[in-house]
Amino acid sequence: MQNYYSKLHEMIEYHQVGASGLVVVGDPEMLPAGTKFIVGETGELLAGKISKDVINVIKENLLKSIQSKNPKNLTLSRTDSVFFPSSLSVPFSLTSDLTIFIDPIYPQTHLIILGGGHIALPLVKLGKLMNFQVTVADDRPSFANSKRFAEADNVICNNFEKVFQRLSINSNTFVVIVTRGHRYDQLCLEEALNSAVKPAYIGMIGSRRKVTTIMNTLQENGIPEEVLDSIYAPIGLDIGAQTPEEIALSILAEMVRIKRYGYSNGLKTQARGKKINGQ
């Protein structure tokens, strides 16, 4: 099992989501006060000297804290039927009650921009203004370089087929697809949908015709309709945007709405029979 502090550093460096735990009031025989541990986004134990049986008992509370992004004090009473119902065969016993402080680990929100064209330029600037960690990826050296995107935290120049091998995606990641063509948009969309953890947001720019074509192809390839419904395409809020700067603003506005409310009534929910936001 990895050292607590090295794992915490690794999670922050690679934008990983999870939670740290500290035993405030402990069981001297089984789990002493001061014990620290770290779990991943799905509740699996990553670091710390704590029984996996204890993790399993508190897993639901760990996940709730991670999903809500709110820390909490959790008390496990020996007589509490919520944690120790008669139907559950608990593989351990407590000699005293436990209090565990759970603190979600949520690094800086990560914005991944796939495509280094004219919309990516203002999108990087606005993303940094809104305190996102920003990564730009493109397969063209003239578009994916630190001189063009001086404000980006990370610029990747590689084939889109290989870009995702260098990306860390979690539920705190926002993915914006603005490549130069249908083929690359579809490729990036498929890779984003196949991520081990679902991103907070996947948005793709495109006309009604382009979006319909790609969605139909993905559905024919076996991707369920409910998964496709989670994609924001056309991307952004309807502010009548036409210029790259306005389109970038509409995208960031939708991302902020998703971040705050968990949903958006943007362009994807509207009638797509006309050209909207320059798409």
Side-chain angles (χ1 to χ4, degrees), residues 29-60:
E29 294 185 10
M30 181 180 177
L31 198 60
T35 300
K36 298 177 181 179
F37 63 91
I38 293 176
V39 297
E41 188 169 4
T42 57
E44 72 280 13
L45 181 63
L46 300 178
K49 296 180 179 179
I50 183 172
S51 166
K52 291 184 179 180
D53 295 325
V54 176
I55 294 295
N56 289 335
V57 168
I58 66 173
K59 189 170 186 177
E60 183 177 346

Coordinates of all heavy atoms in Angstrom, one line a residue, residues 29-60:
E29 N -7.8 -0.9 19.9 CA -7.4 -2.2 19.5 C -7.4 -2.4 18.0 O -6.5 -3.0 17.4 CB -8.3 -3.3 20.1 CG -8.2 -3.4 21.6 CD -9.0 -4.5 22.1 OE1 -9.5 -5.4 21.3 OE2 -9.2 -4.6 23.4
M30 N -8.4 -1.7 17.3 CA -8.5 -2.0 15.9 C -8.1 -0.8 15.0 O -7.5 -1.0 13.9 CB -10.0 -2.3 15.6 CG -10.2 -2.6 14.1 SD -11.9 -3.0 13.8 CE -11.9 -3.2 12.1
L31 N -8.5 0.4 15.4 CA -8.2 1.6 14.6 C -7.9 2.8 15.5 O -8.8 3.6 15.8 CB -9.5 1.9 13.7 CG -9.3 2.8 12.5 CD1 -8.3 2.2 11.5 CD2 -10.7 3.0 11.8
P32 N -6.7 3.0 15.8 CA -6.3 4.1 16.7 C -6.6 5.5 16.2 O -6.6 5.7 15.0 CB -4.8 3.9 16.9 CG -4.5 2.5 16.4 CD -5.5 2.2 15.4
A33 N -6.8 6.4 17.1 CA -7.0 7.8 16.7 C -5.7 8.3 16.0 O -4.6 7.9 16.4 CB -7.3 8.7 17.9
G34 N -5.8 9.1 14.9 CA -4.7 9.6 14.2 C -4.4 8.8 12.9 O -3.6 9.2 12.1
T35 N -5.1 7.7 12.8 CA -4.9 6.9 11.5 C -5.4 7.6 10.3 O -6.5 8.2 10.3 CB -5.7 5.5 11.6 OG1 -5.2 4.8 12.8 CG2 -5.5 4.7 10.4
K36 N -4.6 7.7 9.3 CA -5.0 8.4 8.1 C -5.1 7.4 6.9 O -4.4 6.4 6.8 CB -3.9 9.5 7.7 CG -3.8 10.6 8.8 CD -2.7 11.5 8.4 CE -2.5 12.6 9.4 NZ -1.4 13.5 9.1
F37 N -6.0 7.8 6.0 CA -6.1 6.9 4.8 C -6.6 7.7 3.6 O -7.1 8.8 3.8 CB -7.1 5.7 5.1 CG -8.5 6.1 5.4 CD1 -9.4 6.3 4.4 CD2 -8.8 6.4 6.7 CE1 -10.7 6.6 4.7 CE2 -10.1 6.7 7.0 CZ -11.1 6.9 6.0
I38 N -6.5 7.2 2.4 CA -7.0 7.8 1.2 C -7.7 6.8 0.4 O -7.3 5.6 0.2 CB -5.8 8.4 0.3 CG1 -5.1 9.5 1.1 CG2 -6.3 8.8 -1.0 CD1 -3.9 10.1 0.3
V39 N -8.9 7.2 -0.2 CA -9.6 6.4 -1.1 C -9.8 7.1 -2.4 O -9.7 8.3 -2.5 CB -11.0 6.0 -0.5 CG1 -10.9 5.2 0.8 CG2 -11.9 7.3 -0.3
G40 N -10.0 6.3 -3.5 CA -10.1 6.8 -4.8 C -11.6 7.2 -5.1 O -12.5 7.2 -4.2
E41 N -11.8 7.7 -6.3 CA -13.1 8.2 -6.6 C -14.3 7.2 -6.5 O -15.4 7.6 -6.2 CB -13.1 8.7 -8.1 CG -14.3 9.5 -8.5 CD -14.1 10.2 -9.8 OE1 -13.1 10.1 -10.4 OE2 -15.1 10.9 -10.2
T42 N -14.0 5.9 -6.6 CA -15.0 4.9 -6.5 C -15.0 4.3 -5.1 O -15.7 3.2 -4.9 CB -14.9 3.8 -7.6 OG1 -13.6 3.3 -7.5 CG2 -15.1 4.4 -8.9
G43 N -14.2 4.8 -4.2 CA -14.2 4.3 -2.8 C -13.2 3.3 -2.5 O -13.1 2.8 -1.4
E44 N -12.3 2.9 -3.4 CA -11.3 1.9 -3.2 C -10.1 2.5 -2.3 O -9.8 3.6 -2.5 CB -10.8 1.3 -4.5 CG -9.9 2.2 -5.3 CD -10.6 3.3 -6.1 OE1 -11.8 3.5 -5.9 OE2 -9.9 3.9 -7.0
L45 N -9.6 1.7 -1.4 CA -8.5 2.1 -0.6 C -7.2 2.2 -1.4 O -6.8 1.3 -2.0 CB -8.4 1.1 0.6 CG -7.3 1.4 1.6 CD1 -7.6 2.7 2.3 CD2 -7.1 0.3 2.6
L46 N -6.6 3.4 -1.3 CA -5.4 3.6 -2.0 C -4.1 3.8 -1.1 O -3.0 3.5 -1.6 CB -5.5 4.9 -2.9 CG -6.6 4.9 -3.9 CD1 -6.7 6.3 -4.6 CD2 -6.5 3.8 -4.9
A47 N -4.3 4.2 0.1 CA -3.2 4.4 1.0 C -3.7 4.5 2.4 O -4.8 4.9 2.7 CB -2.4 5.7 0.6
G48 N -2.9 4.0 3.3 CA -3.2 4.1 4.8 C -3.4 2.7 5.4 O -3.7 1.8 4.7
K49 N -3.1 2.7 6.7 CA -3.3 1.4 7.4 C -4.6 1.3 8.1 O -4.8 1.7 9.2 CB -2.2 1.4 8.5 CG -0.8 1.3 7.9 CD 0.3 1.2 8.9 CE 1.7 1.1 8.3 NZ 2.8 1.1 9.4
I50 N -5.6 0.9 7.3 CA -7.0 0.8 7.7 C -7.5 -0.5 7.1 O -7.2 -0.8 5.9 CB -7.8 2.0 7.4 CG1 -9.2 1.9 8.0 CG2 -7.8 2.3 5.9 CD1 -10.1 3.2 7.8
S51 N -8.4 -1.2 7.8 CA -8.9 -2.4 7.3 C -9.9 -2.1 6.1 O -10.7 -1.2 6.2 CB -9.7 -3.1 8.4 OG -10.5 -4.2 7.9
K52 N -9.8 -2.9 5.1 CA -10.7 -2.8 4.0 C -12.2 -3.1 4.4 O -13.1 -2.6 3.8 CB -10.3 -3.7 2.8 CG -9.0 -3.2 2.1 CD -8.7 -4.1 0.9 CE -7.5 -3.6 0.2 NZ -7.1 -4.5 -1.0
D53 N -12.3 -3.8 5.5 CA -13.6 -4.1 6.0 C -14.3 -2.8 6.5 O -15.5 -2.6 6.3 CB -13.6 -5.2 7.1 CG -13.1 -6.5 6.6 OD1 -13.5 -6.9 5.5 OD2 -12.4 -7.2 7.3
V54 N -13.5 -2.0 7.2 CA -14.0 -0.7 7.7 C -14.4 0.2 6.5 O -15.4 0.8 6.5 CB -13.0 0.0 8.6 CG1 -13.5 1.4 9.0 CG2 -12.6 -0.8 9.8
I55 N -13.5 0.2 5.5 CA -13.8 1.0 4.3 C -15.1 0.5 3.6 O -16.0 1.4 3.2 CB -12.7 0.8 3.2 CG1 -11.4 1.5 3.8 CG2 -13.1 1.5 1.9 CD1 -11.5 3.0 4.0
N56 N -15.4 -0.8 3.6 CA -16.6 -1.3 3.0 C -17.8 -0.8 3.8 O -18.9 -0.5 3.2 CB -16.6 -2.8 2.9 CG -15.6 -3.3 1.9 OD1 -15.3 -2.6 0.9 ND2 -15.1 -4.5 2.0
V57 N -17.7 -0.7 5.1 CA -18.8 -0.3 6.0 C -19.1 1.2 5.8 O -20.3 1.6 5.7 CB -18.5 -0.6 7.4 CG1 -19.5 0.1 8.4 CG2 -18.5 -2.1 7.7
I58 N -18.1 2.0 5.6 CA -18.3 3.4 5.4 C -18.3 3.9 4.0 O -18.4 5.1 3.7 CB -17.3 4.2 6.2 CG1 -15.9 4.1 5.6 CG2 -17.3 3.8 7.7 CD1 -14.8 4.9 6.3
K59 N -18.2 3.0 3.0 CA -18.1 3.3 1.6 C -19.1 4.3 1.1 O -18.9 5.2 0.4 CB -18.0 2.1 0.8 CG -17.6 2.3 -0.7 CD -17.3 1.0 -1.4 CE -16.8 1.2 -2.8 NZ -16.5 0.0 -3.5
E60 N -20.4 4.0 1.5 CA -21.5 4.8 1.0 C -21.3 6.3 1.4 O -21.5 7.2 0.6 CB -22.8 4.3 1.5 CG -24.0 5.0 0.9 CD -25.4 4.5 1.4 OE1 -25.4 3.3 1.9 OE2 -26.4 5.1 1.3

